[in-house]
Amino acid sequence: MNQQQPTPRRTHYLNVNYGIKSWLLTTDHKRIAWLYLLSVTFFFFIGGFFATLVRLELMTPQGDLVQSETYNKLFTMHGVTMVFFFLIPSIPAVLGNFLVPMMIGARDLAFPRLNLASWYIFILGGLFTIAAAAAGGVDTGWTFYTPYSSIYSNSHVALTVVGIFITGFSSILTGLNFMVTIHKMRAPGLTWFRLPLFIWAHYATSIIFILGTPVIAITLVLVGMERLFGLGIFDPSLGGDPLLFQHLFWFYSHPAVYIMILPAMGVVSELIACFSHKRIFGYTFVAFASVAIAVIGFLVWGHHMFVSGQSVYAGMIFSFLSFLVAIPSAIKVFNWTATLYKGSVSYDAPMLYALGFIGLFTIGGLTGLFLATLGVDIHVHDTYFVIAHFHYIMVGGAVMGYLGGIHFWWPKMTGRTYPEIWARIAALVIFIGFNLTFFPQFVLGYLGMPRRYHVYPPEFQVLNVMSTAGASILAVGYVLPLLYLIWSLRYGAIAGVNPWAARGLEWQTASPPPTDNFETTPIVTEGAYAYEKEPAESYALGKPANV
């Protein structure tokens, strides 16, 4: 009697070894991506908790939930947590870490130990900031404007600043690792203009990481020195210049906006091409637009300071440059739209996030032109119009791109598919909840409601209640993916090598990939997005099952 031999279990990066130690000491870029995924998800929900309390406070005009000092701490901790510990690291540290080596045919990043060190540095900085929140928080706003932050605030400014300073080194190391890897470790035949646009976006982001992050780091050190030792750097009573801080802070923090949005643009380029089944229209223009955004982004910081007393001449220059930086962003949007034109478009969950990104980012970008206009900015500066604009770019843009990327590459990361119908519902709930949350804030700002106030005139209550109602819907939309993605790890259908019939080197290896990514080094013979050709025979075609 012939007995059938059991099929040997395939070894991949998730099961090559077990135990907490194997994860905490790993140098595999894919496992480090998971460490970042868990970390930034934790910080996202911490930041969301602070935002929830802010929105609950603003349901009533009397300011009857928390005191003004507590309210100041809530919006500050929301901003600090979301910007420095979620938005900046989310796509580069999670999807970038996982995909950059695979997309260029490499076995790992150039410096694997440095990659692990960057995660530990990130966690160390986060612990300092969480300690500051637990000890009573910080009330300066996430911008830490001097001389309030450096002299007068009684909250835990120094502890928070130390946390952000430490985390900055994580960004620098990640950017350095990406740049060296992209330059030196591309597969044979993978020339610069055959690279996926995801790689171009991360290369441009790495430029900002390396050139911009040291500026904010040393600026926050100066704030700490003035606070601890009474040095006259920013405090005018000690001979300092408070506007110097604003120049230094925004020289980094406006490019930081592009750190948050450029990787999302790279994700959207991949999604639009895949689910339109077409090459990206104007590949070269989209690629160079990423670099142009990174470069011009360093020249526009003064538009945050139109009401600071800077000269009208400087204001006009910064206004012109702010309009100029919108051009490469517009190039991307128009080229994505042209790619959709006459494409064979399928509305899977990742595509819904990509389309949501285009719509919300366009609204955010156009309202940015309002703020780049001197006369309009003077009217709406420091109002809820700015809050709405910022969130349309950061939440409507960066978070939609992040979620689209997570859904797109989830089968590759886990070897499992998620319930498609729930993913589509979540995308729609997030889109509806987001617009209900933040569109009323454009109206509030135009009518004159300043930000950072917890007491406001009663005539603004209806719009604030709408905004809070939208935030509750948005919260449900964010919890849904957390639930069904966790569920899919155990119960999801087994994913094939290439469930989306996509192009790119990452889809030519198993799901989940082996530790070294590829059995043999791939050789690239054509450009990215060759959707007019049939995918390689080794691809397992089909779509994720509707569970």
Side-chain angles (χ1 to χ4, degrees):
M1 177 176 170
N2 293 326
Q3 288 188 338
Q4 193 171 9
Q5 295 294 323
T7 305
R9 189 184 66 164
R10 187 178 70 83
T11 302
H12 50 75
Y13 81 98
L14 290 171
N15 67 7
V16 68
N17 46 35
Y18 293 98
I20 293 177
K21 183 179 177 181
S22 72
W23 282 85
L24 295 181
L25 299 180
T26 185
T27 55
D28 184 349
H29 67 99
K30 299 180 290 299
R31 285 192 164 204
I32 293 169
W34 273 99
L35 295 176
Y36 269 114
L37 175 60
L38 297 174
S39 307
V40 301
T41 302
F42 169 76
F43 284 114
F44 176 76
F45 283 102
I46 292 290
F49 170 73
F50 291 126
T52 301
L53 294 177
V54 167
R55 287 307 335 157
L56 289 174
E57 168 61 88
L58 291 173
M59 281 185 70
T60 56
Q62 295 85 15
D64 47 13
L65 180 64
V66 296
Q67 295 180 329
S68 56
E69 294 86 353
T70 306
Y71 182 77
N72 290 348
K73 292 175 180 177
L74 289 176
F75 69 68
T76 300
M77 296 309 299
H78 166 68
V80 167
T81 306
M82 286 300 203
V83 170
F84 294 108
F85 297 97
F86 175 73
L87 286 168
I88 287 175
S90 58
I91 297 180
V94 179
L95 296 176
N97 252 324
F98 194 93
L99 293 165
V100 165
M102 295 179 66
M103 282 187 167
I104 66 173
R107 294 176 60 174
D108 207 316
L109 289 171
F111 307 113
R113 290 185 180 87
L114 213 58
N115 195 20
L116 179 62
S118 73
W119 178 73
Y120 276 105
I121 293 168
F122 173 75
I123 293 298
L124 181 62
L127 290 175
F128 271 91
T129 305
I130 290 173
V138 60
D139 66 350
T140 60
W142 77 275
T143 51
F144 297 101
Y145 271 14
T146 57
Y148 181 66
S149 64
S150 62
I151 300 295
Y152 302 109
S153 174
N154 293 319
S155 58
H156 298 276
V157 176
L159 201 56
T160 311
V161 162
V162 168
I164 297 170
F165 174 79
I166 292 171
T167 304
F169 286 95
S170 174
S171 298
I172 295 169
L173 294 179
T174 300
L176 176 70
N177 224 338
F178 284 174
M179 289 189 76
V180 175
T181 304
I182 294 167
H183 267 282
K184 305 298 291 183
M185 299 179 67
R186 302 192 306 276
L190 188 57
T191 58
W192 281 95
F193 292 103
R194 288 178 174 177
L195 286 172
L197 291 166
F198 183 89
I199 300 295
W200 277 97
H202 278 75
Y203 187 84
T205 304
S206 299
I207 294 173
I208 307 174
F209 271 146
I210 291 173
L211 297 181
T213 311
V215 177
I216 189 68
I218 197 66
T219 304
L220 294 177
V221 167
L222 293 175
V223 170
M225 290 173 65
E226 179 164 281
R227 187 173 179 84
L228 295 174
F229 305 118
L231 304 179
I233 302 169
F234 304 120
D235 182 9
S237 66
L238 299 173
D241 181 1
L243 285 184
L244 174 62
F245 174 85
Q246 292 190 33
H247 281 290
L248 292 172
F249 180 86
W250 289 115
F251 181 79
Y252 163 78
S253 292
H254 193 82
V257 172
Y258 302 119
I259 289 176
M260 303 177 223
I261 203 68
L262 271 171
M265 290 173 163
V267 170
V268 169
S269 294
E270 302 297 318
L271 301 183
I272 293 294
C274 177
F275 294 102
S276 302
H277 303 93
K278 280 179 66 181
R279 286 183 185 269
I280 285 286
F281 181 86
Y283 167 94
T284 308
F285 281 87
V286 179
F288 279 121
S290 293
V291 180
I293 288 171
V295 173
I296 302 171
F298 277 107
L299 307 176
V300 301
W301 78 90
H303 67 216
H304 294 272
M305 302 171 61
F306 283 156
V307 298
S308 68
Q310 69 181 5
S311 71
V312 175
Y313 178 74
M316 290 174 62
I317 296 295
F318 281 121
S319 177
F320 171 77
L321 290 170
S322 301
F323 275 84
L324 185 66
V325 79
I327 293 173
S329 298
I331 287 171
K332 286 178 177 285
V333 171
F334 285 123
N335 283 28
W336 291 328
T337 309
T339 305
L340 291 169
Y341 179 65
K342 291 190 176 180
S344 177
V345 179
S346 54
Y347 296 101
D348 296 283
M351 185 60 158
L352 296 183
Y353 283 108
L355 296 174
F357 172 98
I358 293 174
L360 300 178
F361 175 76
T362 300
I363 294 173
L366 289 174
T367 52
L369 298 180
F370 284 57
L371 296 169
T373 307
L374 283 162
V376 178
D377 183 77
I378 289 169
H379 174 60
V380 297
H381 182 83
D382 258 350
T383 68
Y384 267 84
F385 192 96
V386 178
I387 300 290
H389 156 72
F390 183 79
H391 284 80
Y392 263 84
I393 297 291
M394 291 297 92
V395 186
V399 178
M400 291 291 272
Y402 174 67
L403 289 173
I406 289 289
H407 284 76
F408 184 57
W409 283 290
W410 189 256
K412 181 59 60 179
M413 295 171 70
T414 64
R416 300 278 185 168
T417 59
Y418 47 79
E420 176 69 21
I421 186 65
W422 279 108
R424 295 184 189 186
I425 290 170
L428 293 173
V429 169
I430 289 171
F431 184 81
I432 293 167
F434 174 84
N435 281 292
L436 184 56
T437 303
F438 293 107
F439 196 83
Q441 295 180 13
F442 282 125
V443 182
L444 278 170
Y446 190 77
L447 293 176
M449 179 171 170
R451 63 180 181 175
R452 300 182 172 178
Y453 280 61
H454 79 313
V455 176
Y456 57 85
E459 59 263 31
F460 292 147
Q461 184 174 11
V462 171
L463 289 167
N464 270 298
V465 169
M466 287 174 62
S467 194
T468 300
S472 63
I473 297 171
L474 189 60
V476 172
Y478 285 144
V479 170
L480 274 175
L482 179 70
L483 297 178
Y484 64 68
L485 290 177
I486 293 174
W487 176 90
S488 74
L489 292 174
R490 184 173 180 87
Y491 301 106
I494 301 297
V497 171
N498 185 10
W500 307 112
R503 305 300 185 271
L505 294 180
E506 77 271 27
W507 300 108
Q508 295 188 34
T509 187
S511 301
T515 301
D516 291 333
N517 297 339
F518 301 95
E519 302 294 339
T520 58
T521 302
I523 297 174
V524 180
T525 58
E526 60 188 8
Y529 316 117
Y531 281 94
E532 70 279 4
K533 300 181 180 180
E534 288 298 316
E537 292 180 4
S538 61
Y539 287 8
L541 296 180
K543 295 182 182 292
N546 292 323
V547 178

